Amino acid sequence: MAARLSQGKALAAIGQICSTNSLTHNLAQCRVVIQKAVAAGAKAVFLPEASDYIGASPDESIALCKPANQSPFIIGLQEDARKHSLPISVGVHEPSDDPRSHRIKNTLLWIDEAGQIAHRYQKLHMFDIDIPGGPVLKESNTTEPGSTILAPFDTIVGKVGAAICFDLRFPEIALALKRQNAEVILFPSAFTIPTGKAHWEPLLRARAIECQAYVIAAAQVGAHNEKRTSYGHSIVINPWGEVIAELGGEKTEEPEVILAEIDFSELEAVRRRIPLPRRT
């Protein structure tokens, strides 16, 4: 795995896609993002939660799930990472580790520049909501929660801490990553429109400010099927809490990409100006 740059800046590419129930279609979308990232000279690519697929029903979501070594979507991204020597962060579904389980896992993979899965985080908090006039979603019906906040890991864009979507509402996760000196915290997501309009940016900015870390949130956008639509607004926030890159909420003809520089000198300057304890 490539080491973090000792100084200066590292360019990150954040993709915004609209996953469907077609893994082939979704892989093609992600490859557009990767090509744009390569052309821009990005050092890493960040893709949303559930980039591999979003099913139209619980049964379909379970049926589409395959182990990483059998998923044409994941294998395709591993090939691209290896081809371009470009690490890729991507949210996917994987089978449960428990053979008795009838549910699947919502995971975030870090595919390194050699095409190997170097890190795997399982989403801790399930998205079970019932909003008047809005969506009713019970992620726990199909997806089992993880049980561990994983230590941040070294990458070329800094020491990265992993979380997924609904985990954003639980600051304890981000604060645990802060105490382990995370420099970048990931929140790949498929936010609903009502919750996105009300809470998306305020929550992400709060996590960046309290952790004095970059926050990268690659997001799904648009209608996945007749039942589900995502808010979009992929975003990058710096350690001072400022939005430094953002996309809109409308699905476009092809996947969009934003670029953001992870500035290590700025990260260190923010932490020096307001010295919050890293360990408590």
Side-chain angles (χ1 to χ4, degrees):
M1 180 182 295
R4 168 205 194 278
L5 297 178
S6 60
Q7 59 184 357
K9 303 175 182 180
L11 189 65
I14 297 86
Q16 183 163 280
I17 66 173
C18 182
S19 293
T20 67
N21 59 358
S22 169
L23 277 73
T24 301
H25 170 74
N26 301 333
L27 176 59
Q29 288 190 84
C30 292
R31 282 180 159 161
V32 170
V33 171
I34 292 166
Q35 289 297 331
K36 291 181 177 182
V38 170
K43 298 297 184 182
V45 174
F46 298 86
L47 296 166
E49 174 186 29
S51 287
D52 55 345
Y53 66 84
I54 291 181
S57 69
D59 287 345
E60 183 175 52
S61 293
I62 293 170
L64 288 170
C65 186
K66 296 182 181 299
N69 62 359
Q70 298 176 26
S71 167
F73 177 88
I74 296 173
I75 292 170
L77 289 188
Q78 289 179 290
E79 292 171 352
D80 279 20
R82 189 161 49 246
K83 174 182 176 182
H84 300 293
S85 297
L86 185 70
I88 300 169
S89 171
V90 59
V92 299
H93 302 86
E94 296 184 282
S96 171
D97 296 327
D98 182 355
R100 299 166 298 176
S101 175
H102 299 292
R103 296 187 293 176
I104 58 180
K105 300 190 295 185
N106 182 333
T107 60
L108 180 60
L109 305 181
W110 182 266
I111 302 172
D112 67 19
E113 62 275 11
Q116 300 300 310
I117 297 174
H119 190 272
R120 176 185 272 106
Y121 166 78
Q122 184 176 353
K123 186 177 181 180
L124 293 180
H125 297 284
M126 298 295 97
F127 188 52
D128 290 357
I129 64 162
D130 186 351
I131 299 175
V136 177
L137 293 171
K138 301 291 183 184
E139 187 179 16
S140 62
N141 286 344
T142 58
T143 308
E144 63 180 34
S147 59
T148 306
I149 300 172
L150 299 181
F153 57 100
D154 292 324
T155 78
I156 196 166
V157 295
K159 187 178 285 289
V160 170
I164 301 174
C165 199
F166 200 55
D167 289 336
L168 174 60
R169 295 182 181 273
F170 301 85
E172 297 85 356
I173 297 175
L175 291 172
L177 295 170
K178 169 194 170 184
R179 288 192 289 271
Q180 298 176 83
N181 200 35
E183 297 172 312
V184 178
I185 301 178
L186 308 182
F187 291 101
S189 297
F191 249 61
T192 68
I193 290 176
T195 57
K197 287 180 177 178
H199 303 146
W200 176 245
E201 186 176 320
L203 286 170
L204 289 165
R205 291 187 68 193
R207 299 296 85 82
I209 292 166
E210 67 198 8
C211 295
Q212 296 179 316
Y214 282 92
V215 164
I216 295 177
Q220 295 276 353
V221 66
H224 309 286
N225 49 57
E226 293 180 355
K227 299 178 181 178
R228 187 166 175 185
T229 302
S230 289
Y231 179 63
H233 293 272
S234 295
I235 196 168
V236 182
I237 301 168
N238 70 15
W240 193 245
E242 298 169 322
V243 175
I244 59 173
E246 183 179 12
L247 289 170
E250 299 296 327
K251 179 182 176 182
T252 55
E253 186 172 338
E254 67 175 29
E256 293 184 279
V257 176
I258 48 174
L259 301 169
E261 287 184 328
I262 307 303
D263 186 336
F264 302 116
S265 61
E266 176 62 18
L267 178 83
E268 291 161 5
V270 168
R271 293 179 175 185
R272 185 172 60 251
R273 290 196 296 264
I274 305 180
L276 302 179
R278 311 313 300 174
R279 296 182 183 274
T280 56

